Amino acid sequence: MEPGVREYMLRIVNTMSLGLLWMAINSTAGIMYDLAFIHDHLRLGNILFYLWFVVSLAVYLWWVIRLWRKPLHFED
């Protein structure tokens, strides 16, 4: 496989796998452990969950943007 194509495919796989892992962690914590739903009043668990959600999303997006800004090395 060409080095540039391999590098491009690795970027796609890394972006998708980390994104799916992020979604799995947040959906598990939010739905299964009932942290995403505010029932009667706001609890500390809800606040920590949403804080984690926003911070981890920002870090994930920063990582993806940093990864895709690097130039690909296609050799002629």
Side-chain angles (χ1 to χ4, degrees), residues 3-57:
V5 174
R6 183 177 187 275
E7 185 180 349
Y8 184 70
M9 295 299 282
L10 277 174
R11 285 185 189 188
I12 293 172
V13 168
N14 286 337
T15 301
M16 290 182 65
S17 61
L18 192 62
L20 288 172
L21 177 66
W22 179 82
M23 285 191 289
I25 289 169
N26 286 308
S27 63
T28 300
I31 297 171
M32 289 184 62
Y33 296 118
D34 205 31
L35 295 174
F37 307 111
I38 301 169
H39 297 290
D40 295 330
H41 59 281
L42 191 63
R43 296 176 296 172
L44 179 63
N46 299 119
I47 295 170
L48 292 176
F49 170 74
Y50 282 110
L51 183 66
W52 157 258
F53 183 84
V54 170
V55 169
S56 65
L57 177 62

